[in-house]
Amino acid sequence: MSSTDLLIRPNTLSKKKSKTLKKGTYFIQTWGCQMNVEDSEQIALYLEQIGFKPTDNLSEAHLTILNTCSVRKKPEDKAFSMLGELAIRKRRHPDLIIGVCGCMAQIRCNEIRKRAPHVDFVIGTAQINKIGQTVENVLEERSFFSEINLPERKGAIVSDIPERQVERNAKLKSFVPIQYGCDKFCTYCIVPETRGRERSRPTVDIIDEVKKLAEYGTKEITLLGQTVNSYGKNLVEGRVPFSELLWKVAEVDGIERIRYMSPYPRDFKTDLIQTIRDCPKVMEHVHMPIQSGDNDVLKAMKRLYTVESFKDIIQELRETIPNITITTDIIVGFPGETEEQFQNTMNVVRDIEFDGSYMFKYSIREGTKAADMEQVEKSVKEDRLARLIQLQNEITLKRNLPEVGNIDEVLVEGVSAKNDKTYQGYTRGFKMVHFDAGRDLTGELVKVKLENANVWGFKAYLL
Ligand code: 5AD
Ligand code: SF4
Protein backbone atom coordinates (compact mmCIF):
# COMPACT_ATOMS: atom_id res chain seq x y z
CA MET A 1 0.00 0.00 0.00
CA SER A 2 1.29 3.43 -0.83
CA SER A 3 0.71 6.53 1.22
CA THR A 4 -0.09 8.39 -1.98
CA ASP A 5 -3.49 6.64 -2.04
CA LEU A 6 -4.46 8.84 0.83
CA LEU A 7 -4.99 12.42 1.62
CA ILE A 8 -1.69 13.76 2.87
CA ARG A 9 -1.26 17.34 3.83
CA PRO A 10 1.94 19.21 4.40
CA ASN A 11 2.57 20.67 7.81
CA THR A 12 0.75 23.95 7.66
CA LEU A 13 0.94 25.38 11.14
CA SER A 14 3.31 28.03 12.32
CA LYS A 15 4.63 27.60 15.89
CA LYS A 16 2.88 30.79 17.04
CA LYS A 17 -0.49 29.66 15.79
CA SER A 18 -0.19 26.19 17.36
CA LYS A 19 0.27 27.62 20.82
CA THR A 20 -3.19 29.16 20.69
CA LEU A 21 -4.96 25.87 19.92
CA LYS A 22 -6.79 24.20 22.80
CA LYS A 23 -4.97 21.18 24.22
CA GLY A 24 -6.54 18.69 26.59
CA THR A 25 -5.86 15.17 27.80
CA TYR A 26 -4.73 12.08 25.94
CA PHE A 27 -5.30 8.37 26.45
CA ILE A 28 -3.21 5.71 24.70
CA GLN A 29 -4.42 2.13 24.29
CA THR A 30 -1.51 -0.18 23.48
CA TRP A 31 -1.61 -3.73 22.09
CA GLY A 32 1.29 -6.01 21.22
CA CYS A 33 4.97 -6.34 21.93
CA GLN A 34 7.52 -4.31 23.92
CA MET A 35 8.35 -2.36 20.79
CA ASN A 36 4.79 -1.06 20.80
CA VAL A 37 4.93 -0.32 24.53
CA GLU A 38 8.09 1.66 23.87
CA ASP A 39 6.50 3.43 20.88
CA SER A 40 3.57 4.43 23.11
CA GLU A 41 6.01 6.00 25.54
CA GLN A 42 7.49 8.02 22.68
CA ILE A 43 4.01 9.01 21.49
CA ALA A 44 3.20 10.24 25.00
CA LEU A 45 6.37 12.35 25.10
CA TYR A 46 5.57 13.94 21.74
CA LEU A 47 2.01 14.72 22.84
CA GLU A 48 3.21 16.25 26.09
CA GLN A 49 5.65 18.37 24.12
CA ILE A 50 2.72 20.06 22.35
CA GLY A 51 0.79 20.60 25.58
CA PHE A 52 -1.39 17.50 26.10
CA LYS A 53 -1.64 15.90 29.55
CA PRO A 54 -2.10 12.18 30.25
CA THR A 55 -5.30 10.66 31.63
CA ASP A 56 -6.08 7.06 32.68
CA ASN A 57 -9.74 7.64 31.98
CA LEU A 58 -10.72 6.94 28.38
CA SER A 59 -14.11 8.59 28.79
CA GLU A 60 -12.59 11.96 29.66
CA ALA A 61 -9.78 12.01 27.07
CA HIS A 62 -9.82 14.68 24.37
CA LEU A 63 -7.41 12.69 22.27
CA THR A 64 -7.45 8.89 22.06
CA ILE A 65 -4.67 6.96 20.37
CA LEU A 66 -4.87 3.28 19.50
CA ASN A 67 -1.37 1.83 19.19
CA THR A 68 -2.17 -1.35 17.33
CA CYS A 69 -0.63 -4.78 16.73
CA SER A 70 -0.99 -6.94 13.60
CA VAL A 71 1.01 -10.00 14.57
CA ARG A 72 -2.19 -12.02 15.08
CA LYS A 73 -5.86 -11.45 14.23
CA LYS A 74 -7.08 -10.99 17.82
CA PRO A 75 -5.43 -7.63 18.58
CA GLU A 76 -6.62 -6.32 15.21
CA ASP A 77 -10.20 -7.35 16.04
CA LYS A 78 -9.88 -5.61 19.41
CA ALA A 79 -8.69 -2.40 17.76
CA PHE A 80 -11.63 -2.37 15.30
CA SER A 81 -14.02 -3.12 18.14
CA MET A 82 -12.63 -0.19 20.16
CA LEU A 83 -12.94 2.04 17.09
CA GLY A 84 -16.64 1.01 16.97
CA GLU A 85 -17.13 2.12 20.58
CA LEU A 86 -15.29 5.36 19.90
CA ALA A 87 -17.64 6.12 16.99
CA ILE A 88 -20.52 6.29 19.49
CA ARG A 89 -18.51 8.53 21.78
CA LYS A 90 -17.49 10.80 18.97
CA ARG A 91 -21.15 11.35 18.00
CA ARG A 92 -21.71 12.79 21.49
CA HIS A 93 -18.35 14.61 21.60
CA PRO A 94 -17.51 15.74 18.06
CA ASP A 95 -14.29 17.41 19.28
CA LEU A 96 -12.80 14.08 20.30
CA ILE A 97 -9.66 13.34 18.26
CA ILE A 98 -8.95 9.72 17.39
CA GLY A 99 -5.62 8.52 16.02
CA VAL A 100 -4.45 5.06 14.99
CA CYS A 101 -0.74 4.18 15.18
CA GLY A 102 1.32 1.00 15.10
CA CYS A 103 1.45 -2.04 12.83
CA MET A 104 -2.22 -2.02 11.80
CA ALA A 105 -1.96 1.65 10.91
CA GLN A 106 1.00 0.83 8.71
CA ILE A 107 -0.71 -1.85 6.61
CA ARG A 108 -4.43 -1.11 6.91
CA CYS A 109 -4.72 2.64 6.53
CA ASN A 110 -7.32 2.44 3.74
CA GLU A 111 -9.37 -0.19 5.57
CA ILE A 112 -9.32 1.90 8.75
CA ARG A 113 -10.59 4.90 6.80
CA LYS A 114 -13.37 2.85 5.26
CA ARG A 115 -14.49 1.02 8.39
CA ALA A 116 -13.89 3.91 10.79
CA PRO A 117 -14.36 7.24 9.01
CA HIS A 118 -14.39 8.98 12.41
CA VAL A 119 -10.62 8.38 12.74
CA ASP A 120 -8.78 11.71 12.42
CA PHE A 121 -5.29 10.47 11.65
CA VAL A 122 -3.27 7.36 10.93
CA ILE A 123 0.46 7.22 11.67
CA GLY A 124 2.69 4.32 10.69
CA THR A 125 5.47 2.67 12.64
CA ALA A 126 8.31 4.79 11.29
CA GLN A 127 6.59 8.19 11.60
CA ILE A 128 5.89 8.49 15.31
CA ASN A 129 8.00 11.62 15.53
CA LYS A 130 5.40 13.35 13.31
CA ILE A 131 2.58 12.81 15.78
CA GLY A 132 2.79 16.23 17.46
CA GLN A 133 2.55 18.09 14.16
CA THR A 134 -0.19 15.77 12.92
CA VAL A 135 -2.35 16.43 15.98
CA GLU A 136 -1.76 20.17 15.52
CA ASN A 137 -2.88 19.83 11.89
CA VAL A 138 -6.05 17.98 12.90
CA LEU A 139 -6.84 20.60 15.54
CA GLU A 140 -6.38 23.35 13.00
CA GLU A 141 -8.17 21.88 9.99
CA ARG A 142 -10.42 19.10 11.30
CA SER A 143 -9.63 16.94 8.30
CA PHE A 144 -7.95 13.56 7.92
CA PHE A 145 -4.15 13.24 7.97
CA SER A 146 -1.83 10.28 7.53
CA GLU A 147 1.89 9.61 7.71
CA ILE A 148 2.68 6.03 6.74
CA ASN A 149 5.88 6.07 4.70
CA LEU A 150 8.22 3.25 5.59
CA PRO A 151 11.91 3.81 4.84
CA GLU A 152 13.56 1.35 2.49
CA ARG A 153 17.07 0.37 3.42
CA LYS A 154 19.73 1.34 0.91
CA GLY A 155 23.10 0.17 2.20
CA ALA A 156 23.89 2.17 5.32
CA ILE A 157 20.72 4.06 6.07
CA VAL A 158 21.40 5.50 9.46
CA SER A 159 19.62 8.69 8.39
CA ASP A 160 16.37 6.74 8.13
CA ILE A 161 16.32 5.99 11.84
CA PRO A 162 13.50 8.09 13.26
CA GLU A 163 14.31 10.94 15.54
CA ARG A 164 13.53 10.03 19.18
CA GLN A 165 12.70 11.81 22.37
CA VAL A 166 15.49 10.88 24.74
CA GLU A 167 14.44 13.22 27.55
CA ARG A 168 12.30 10.58 29.20
CA ASN A 169 10.46 10.18 32.47
CA ALA A 170 12.27 8.54 35.37
CA LYS A 171 11.57 4.81 35.32
CA LEU A 172 13.16 1.84 37.03
CA LYS A 173 13.04 -0.29 33.88
CA SER A 174 13.27 1.16 30.39
CA PHE A 175 13.13 -0.24 26.88
CA VAL A 176 15.66 0.99 24.34
CA PRO A 177 15.15 0.07 20.67
CA ILE A 178 18.46 -0.70 18.98
CA GLN A 179 17.15 -2.07 15.70
CA TYR A 180 14.02 -1.47 13.66
CA GLY A 181 12.33 -3.75 11.12
CA CYS A 182 13.16 -7.29 10.10
CA ASP A 183 14.76 -8.94 7.06
CA LYS A 184 14.02 -12.55 7.94
CA PHE A 185 10.59 -12.91 6.27
CA CYS A 186 9.39 -15.93 8.23
CA THR A 187 6.45 -17.14 6.14
CA TYR A 188 3.84 -16.65 8.92
CA CYS A 189 4.96 -13.20 10.02
CA ILE A 190 3.63 -9.77 9.03
CA VAL A 191 6.32 -7.79 10.86
CA PRO A 192 8.61 -7.27 7.81
CA GLU A 193 5.58 -5.60 6.16
CA THR A 194 4.59 -3.48 9.14
CA ARG A 195 8.06 -2.42 10.29
CA GLY A 196 10.07 -2.53 7.07
CA ARG A 197 13.68 -3.47 6.45
CA GLU A 198 16.13 -4.10 9.25
CA ARG A 199 17.95 -0.94 10.38
CA SER A 200 20.29 -0.53 13.35
CA ARG A 201 20.59 2.60 15.44
CA PRO A 202 24.08 4.07 15.71
CA THR A 203 25.87 2.79 18.81
CA VAL A 204 26.65 6.30 20.08
CA ASP A 205 22.95 7.21 20.06
CA ILE A 206 22.06 4.08 22.00
CA ILE A 207 24.75 4.72 24.61
CA ASP A 208 23.77 8.41 24.93
CA GLU A 209 20.17 7.38 25.53
CA VAL A 210 21.16 4.75 28.10
CA LYS A 211 23.31 7.35 29.92
CA LYS A 212 20.35 9.75 30.07
CA LEU A 213 18.06 7.01 31.37
CA ALA A 214 20.60 6.10 34.04
CA GLU A 215 20.75 9.76 35.12
CA TYR A 216 16.96 9.72 35.49
CA GLY A 217 17.06 6.60 37.65
CA THR A 218 16.69 3.66 35.28
CA LYS A 219 18.41 0.57 36.65
CA GLU A 220 17.32 -2.03 34.12
CA ILE A 221 17.58 -1.66 30.36
CA THR A 222 15.94 -3.98 27.86
CA LEU A 223 17.42 -3.62 24.37
CA LEU A 224 14.78 -4.21 21.72
CA GLY A 225 14.94 -5.50 18.17
CA GLN A 226 13.05 -8.09 16.12
CA THR A 227 16.28 -10.05 15.71
CA VAL A 228 18.23 -8.16 18.34
CA ASN A 229 21.44 -10.17 18.05
CA SER A 230 21.85 -9.31 14.37
CA TYR A 231 22.31 -5.71 15.54
CA GLY A 232 24.95 -3.69 13.76
CA LYS A 233 24.55 -4.67 10.13
CA ASN A 234 24.67 -1.73 7.72
CA LEU A 235 25.97 0.78 10.22
CA VAL A 236 28.05 3.62 8.76
CA GLU A 237 30.52 3.22 11.61
CA GLY A 238 30.98 -0.45 10.65
CA ARG A 239 29.49 -3.59 12.12
CA VAL A 240 29.26 -3.54 15.89
CA PRO A 241 28.59 -7.05 17.15
CA PHE A 242 25.70 -7.29 19.57
CA SER A 243 27.94 -8.75 22.29
CA GLU A 244 30.19 -5.65 22.01
CA LEU A 245 27.15 -3.39 22.37
CA LEU A 246 26.20 -5.23 25.57
CA TRP A 247 29.65 -4.51 27.02
CA LYS A 248 29.35 -0.83 26.07
CA VAL A 249 25.92 -0.54 27.73
CA ALA A 250 27.35 -2.27 30.80
CA GLU A 251 29.95 0.50 31.12
CA VAL A 252 27.20 3.05 31.86
CA ASP A 253 27.19 3.89 35.57
CA GLY A 254 23.87 3.39 37.29
CA ILE A 255 22.65 0.63 34.96
CA GLU A 256 22.53 -2.55 37.03
CA ARG A 257 20.77 -4.98 34.73
CA ILE A 258 20.71 -5.54 30.98
CA ARG A 259 18.17 -7.65 29.11
CA TYR A 260 17.36 -7.93 25.39
CA MET A 261 14.55 -9.24 23.17
CA SER A 262 14.40 -11.27 20.98
CA PRO A 263 17.49 -13.00 19.64
CA TYR A 264 17.31 -15.04 16.44
CA PRO A 265 18.68 -18.59 16.93
CA ARG A 266 20.93 -18.75 13.86
CA ASP A 267 22.82 -15.63 14.96
CA PHE A 268 23.26 -16.74 18.59
CA LYS A 269 27.03 -17.26 18.68
CA THR A 270 29.69 -18.12 21.25
CA ASP A 271 30.74 -14.47 21.78
CA LEU A 272 27.22 -13.69 23.05
CA ILE A 273 27.16 -16.77 25.29
CA GLN A 274 30.52 -15.72 26.78
CA THR A 275 29.24 -12.19 27.33
CA ILE A 276 26.27 -13.50 29.32
CA ARG A 277 28.74 -15.52 31.40
CA ASP A 278 31.36 -12.79 31.85
CA CYS A 279 29.44 -9.52 32.02
CA PRO A 280 27.83 -9.26 35.47
CA LYS A 281 25.23 -6.75 34.29
CA VAL A 282 23.89 -9.03 31.53
CA MET A 283 21.16 -11.18 33.07
CA GLU A 284 21.16 -14.97 32.93
CA HIS A 285 18.02 -15.20 30.81
CA VAL A 286 17.64 -15.92 27.12
CA HIS A 287 14.28 -15.67 25.35
CA MET A 288 14.92 -17.41 22.05
CA PRO A 289 11.92 -18.31 19.84
CA ILE A 290 12.00 -21.88 18.48
CA GLN A 291 8.51 -21.65 16.84
CA SER A 292 8.35 -25.41 16.06
CA GLY A 293 10.12 -28.62 17.03
CA ASP A 294 9.81 -30.15 13.56
CA ASN A 295 12.43 -29.57 10.89
CA ASP A 296 9.98 -29.67 7.97
CA VAL A 297 7.72 -27.14 9.67
CA LEU A 298 10.73 -24.94 10.43
CA LYS A 299 11.64 -25.10 6.75
CA ALA A 300 8.09 -24.19 5.70
CA MET A 301 8.26 -21.31 8.18
CA LYS A 302 11.57 -20.27 6.57
CA ARG A 303 13.31 -20.34 9.93
CA LEU A 304 17.01 -20.56 9.16
CA TYR A 305 17.99 -23.27 11.67
CA THR A 306 17.14 -26.86 12.53
CA VAL A 307 15.97 -28.46 15.76
CA GLU A 308 19.47 -29.91 16.10
CA SER A 309 21.29 -26.59 15.67
CA PHE A 310 18.83 -24.96 18.12
CA LYS A 311 19.56 -27.69 20.66
CA ASP A 312 23.32 -27.15 20.17
CA ILE A 313 22.91 -23.51 21.23
CA ILE A 314 20.87 -24.57 24.28
CA GLN A 315 23.56 -27.08 25.22
CA GLU A 316 26.35 -24.52 24.91
CA LEU A 317 24.31 -22.01 26.93
CA ARG A 318 23.62 -24.50 29.74
CA GLU A 319 27.19 -25.79 29.82
CA THR A 320 28.59 -22.26 29.97
CA ILE A 321 25.97 -20.73 32.30
CA PRO A 322 24.44 -23.56 34.37
CA ASN A 323 21.79 -21.37 36.05
CA ILE A 324 20.51 -19.79 32.80
CA THR A 325 16.77 -19.37 32.31
CA ILE A 326 15.63 -20.21 28.77
CA THR A 327 12.23 -19.23 27.43
CA THR A 328 10.77 -19.39 23.95
CA ASP A 329 7.90 -18.71 21.52
CA ILE A 330 6.02 -21.57 19.86
CA ILE A 331 3.35 -21.54 17.16
CA VAL A 332 0.99 -24.51 16.87
CA GLY A 333 -1.16 -25.31 13.85
CA PHE A 334 1.13 -23.72 11.27
CA PRO A 335 -0.33 -24.57 7.80
CA GLY A 336 0.10 -28.24 7.01
CA GLU A 337 1.29 -29.18 10.53
CA THR A 338 0.39 -32.85 11.10
CA GLU A 339 -0.26 -34.46 14.48
CA GLU A 340 3.11 -36.17 14.14
CA GLN A 341 4.86 -32.85 13.52
CA PHE A 342 3.05 -31.35 16.50
CA GLN A 343 4.23 -34.34 18.58
CA ASN A 344 7.78 -33.49 17.50
CA THR A 345 7.25 -30.04 19.02
CA MET A 346 5.89 -31.62 22.23
CA ASN A 347 8.95 -33.92 22.34
CA VAL A 348 11.38 -31.05 21.85
CA VAL A 349 9.62 -29.10 24.63
CA ARG A 350 9.96 -32.17 26.90
CA ASP A 351 13.55 -32.60 25.88
CA ILE A 352 14.77 -28.99 26.18
CA GLU A 353 12.60 -28.15 29.21
CA PHE A 354 12.13 -24.44 28.61
CA ASP A 355 11.54 -22.48 31.82
CA GLY A 356 8.56 -20.87 30.12
CA SER A 357 7.00 -20.38 26.69
CA TYR A 358 4.71 -17.98 24.92
CA MET A 359 2.48 -20.30 22.93
CA PHE A 360 0.26 -19.22 20.04
CA LYS A 361 -2.22 -20.68 17.61
CA TYR A 362 -1.14 -19.86 14.08
CA SER A 363 -3.13 -16.85 12.86
CA ILE A 364 -3.54 -16.17 9.14
CA ARG A 365 -1.89 -12.89 8.12
CA GLU A 366 -2.92 -11.76 4.66
CA GLY A 367 0.09 -10.84 2.57
CA THR A 368 2.36 -13.50 4.06
CA LYS A 369 3.35 -16.73 2.27
CA ALA A 370 1.76 -18.99 4.87
CA ALA A 371 -1.65 -17.37 4.31
CA ASP A 372 -1.84 -19.19 0.96
CA MET A 373 -0.84 -22.59 2.33
CA GLU A 374 -3.25 -25.34 3.37
CA GLN A 375 -4.69 -24.38 6.75
CA VAL A 376 -5.17 -26.48 9.88
CA GLU A 377 -8.70 -26.64 11.37
CA LYS A 378 -9.39 -24.14 14.14
CA SER A 379 -10.49 -26.88 16.60
CA VAL A 380 -7.28 -28.83 15.93
CA LYS A 381 -5.17 -25.71 16.61
CA GLU A 382 -7.09 -25.09 19.84
CA ASP A 383 -6.63 -28.68 20.98
CA ARG A 384 -2.89 -28.60 20.25
CA LEU A 385 -2.47 -25.31 22.05
CA ALA A 386 -4.25 -26.64 25.16
CA ARG A 387 -2.05 -29.75 25.23
CA LEU A 388 1.12 -27.72 24.77
CA ILE A 389 0.19 -25.24 27.51
CA GLN A 390 -0.49 -28.07 29.93
CA LEU A 391 2.87 -29.68 29.17
CA GLN A 392 4.75 -26.38 29.48
CA ASN A 393 3.09 -25.60 32.83
CA GLU A 394 4.21 -28.96 34.19
CA ILE A 395 7.75 -28.31 32.96
CA THR A 396 7.82 -24.76 34.33
CA LEU A 397 6.90 -26.05 37.78
CA LYS A 398 9.38 -28.92 37.47
CA ARG A 399 12.15 -26.44 36.68
CA ASN A 400 11.19 -24.03 39.45
CA LEU A 401 10.95 -26.64 42.23
CA PRO A 402 14.71 -27.37 42.59
CA GLU A 403 15.36 -23.62 42.92
CA VAL A 404 13.55 -23.55 46.28
CA GLY A 405 16.12 -22.76 48.98
CA ASN A 406 18.33 -20.78 46.56
CA ILE A 407 19.36 -17.22 47.31
CA ASP A 408 18.63 -14.88 44.40
CA GLU A 409 18.76 -11.18 43.61
CA VAL A 410 15.53 -9.27 42.93
CA LEU A 411 15.04 -5.77 41.53
CA VAL A 412 12.02 -4.60 43.52
CA GLU A 413 9.34 -3.07 41.29
CA GLY A 414 6.73 -2.23 43.93
CA VAL A 415 3.86 -3.79 45.84
CA SER A 416 1.70 -6.52 44.35
CA ALA A 417 -1.82 -5.68 43.19
CA LYS A 418 -3.39 -7.85 45.90
CA ASN A 419 -1.44 -6.91 49.04
CA ASP A 420 0.40 -3.67 49.83
CA LYS A 421 2.84 -5.46 52.20
CA THR A 422 3.87 -7.89 49.47
CA TYR A 423 6.59 -6.65 47.13
CA GLN A 424 7.35 -8.04 43.72
CA GLY A 425 10.15 -8.11 41.23
CA TYR A 426 12.16 -10.40 38.99
CA THR A 427 15.23 -12.52 39.64
CA ARG A 428 18.26 -12.23 37.37
CA GLY A 429 16.79 -15.19 35.44
CA PHE A 430 13.49 -13.32 34.95
CA LYS A 431 11.41 -15.30 37.41
CA MET A 432 8.70 -13.42 39.26
CA VAL A 433 9.15 -13.25 43.04
CA HIS A 434 6.74 -12.11 45.79
CA PHE A 435 7.99 -11.40 49.29
CA ASP A 436 6.84 -9.45 52.36
CA ALA A 437 8.77 -6.44 53.63
CA GLY A 438 8.23 -3.95 56.42
CA ARG A 439 9.45 -0.94 54.43
CA ASP A 440 9.26 0.33 50.87
CA LEU A 441 12.06 -1.31 48.90
CA THR A 442 10.92 -0.18 45.46
CA GLY A 443 13.88 0.37 43.15
CA GLU A 444 16.34 -1.57 45.30
CA LEU A 445 18.25 -4.72 44.48
CA VAL A 446 17.62 -7.11 47.37
CA LYS A 447 18.63 -10.67 48.25
CA VAL A 448 15.83 -13.17 48.85
CA LYS A 449 15.59 -16.86 49.68
CA LEU A 450 13.19 -18.69 47.35
CA GLU A 451 10.63 -20.53 49.49
CA ASN A 452 7.70 -21.71 47.46
CA ALA A 453 7.66 -22.60 43.75
CA ASN A 454 4.67 -21.99 41.47
CA VAL A 455 4.10 -21.85 37.73
CA TRP A 456 4.08 -18.02 37.91
CA GLY A 457 7.30 -17.83 39.98
CA PHE A 458 8.22 -17.90 43.66
CA LYS A 459 7.15 -16.78 47.09
CA ALA A 460 10.34 -15.76 48.85
CA TYR A 461 11.81 -14.58 52.13
CA LEU A 462 13.66 -11.26 52.29
CA LEU A 463 17.21 -11.66 53.62
N1 5AD B 1 0.39 -16.48 14.13
C1 5AD B 1 0.69 -16.83 15.39
N2 5AD B 1 1.78 -16.39 16.05
C2 5AD B 1 2.62 -15.56 15.39
N3 5AD B 1 3.77 -14.98 15.79
C3 5AD B 1 4.20 -14.23 14.77
N4 5AD B 1 3.36 -14.31 13.72
C4 5AD B 1 2.37 -15.15 14.07
C5 5AD B 1 1.20 -15.65 13.43
N5 5AD B 1 0.89 -15.32 12.17
C6 5AD B 1 4.38 -15.22 17.08
C7 5AD B 1 5.79 -15.81 16.95
C8 5AD B 1 6.66 -14.65 17.36
C9 5AD B 1 5.78 -13.94 18.35
C10 5AD B 1 6.17 -12.54 18.64
O1 5AD B 1 4.51 -13.99 17.77
O2 5AD B 1 5.92 -16.86 17.86
O3 5AD B 1 7.90 -15.07 17.92
FE1 SF4 C 1 8.72 -12.03 12.22
FE2 SF4 C 1 10.58 -13.90 11.71
FE3 SF4 C 1 11.25 -11.28 11.70
FE4 SF4 C 1 10.66 -12.48 14.02
S1 SF4 C 1 12.40 -13.01 12.66
S2 SF4 C 1 9.90 -10.47 13.31
S3 SF4 C 1 9.07 -13.93 13.42
S4 SF4 C 1 9.86 -12.31 10.27
Side-chain angles (χ1 to χ4, degrees), residues 31-47:
W31 289 277
C33 63
Q34 282 92 343
M35 198 63 100
N36 256 22
V37 173
E38 208 286 320
D39 283 347
S40 287
E41 212 177 304
Q42 286 288 306
I43 291 169
L45 291 170
Y46 280 112
L47 295 176

Side-chain angles (χ1 to χ4, degrees), residues 210-271:
V210 172
K211 281 183 182 158
K212 278 235 164 70
L213 288 166
E215 272 170 37
Y216 293 154
T218 288
K219 292 200 172 152
E220 181 176 303
I221 292 284
T222 303
L223 303 175
L224 298 180
Q226 303 300 337
T227 53
V228 76
N229 53 336
S230 59
Y231 170 79
K233 273 193 266 167
N234 303 299
L235 277 175
V236 171
E237 67 206 68
R239 174 124 204 203
V240 177
F242 179 62
S243 57
E244 203 176 305
L245 179 71
L246 288 173
W247 281 105
K248 284 183 197 285
V249 173
E251 277 169 23
V252 177
D253 284 342
I255 298 302
E256 313 258 14
R257 290 179 154 200
I258 305 168
R259 302 188 187 276
Y260 48 90
M261 272 188 95
S262 290
Y264 188 79
R266 192 198 53 178
D267 301 332
F268 212 107
K269 296 279 159 50
T270 301
D271 62 323

Side-chain angles (χ1 to χ4, degrees), residues 71-72 188 289 291 329 331 360-363 365:
V71 85
R72 282 172 290 278
Y188 52 81
Q291 311 298 5
D329 291 347
I331 298 174
F360 310 104
K361 275 179 292 180
Y362 167 75
S363 172
R365 304 289 67 210

Side-chain angles (χ1 to χ4, degrees), residues 166-195:
V166 289
E167 297 290 339
R168 293 159 69 178
N169 301 329
K171 269 176 71 193
L172 188 59
K173 304 205 297 183
S174 297
F175 296 131
V176 175
I178 64 167
Q179 176 202 56
Y180 298 98
C182 182
D183 280 353
K184 294 290 194 287
F185 288 96
C186 302
T187 56
Y188 52 81
C189 185
I190 197 69
V191 169
E193 291 297 321
T194 63
R195 299 222 168 231

Side-chain angles (χ1 to χ4, degrees), residues 184-190 192 297-303 334-335 362-363 365 367-373:
K184 294 290 194 287
F185 288 96
C186 302
T187 56
Y188 52 81
C189 185
I190 197 69
V297 174
L298 286 176
K299 212 167 182 184
M301 288 176 160
K302 199 170 162 277
R303 299 289 288 181
F334 179 80
Y362 167 75
S363 172
R365 304 289 67 210
T368 63
K369 286 219 167 100
D372 300 327
M373 298 178 186

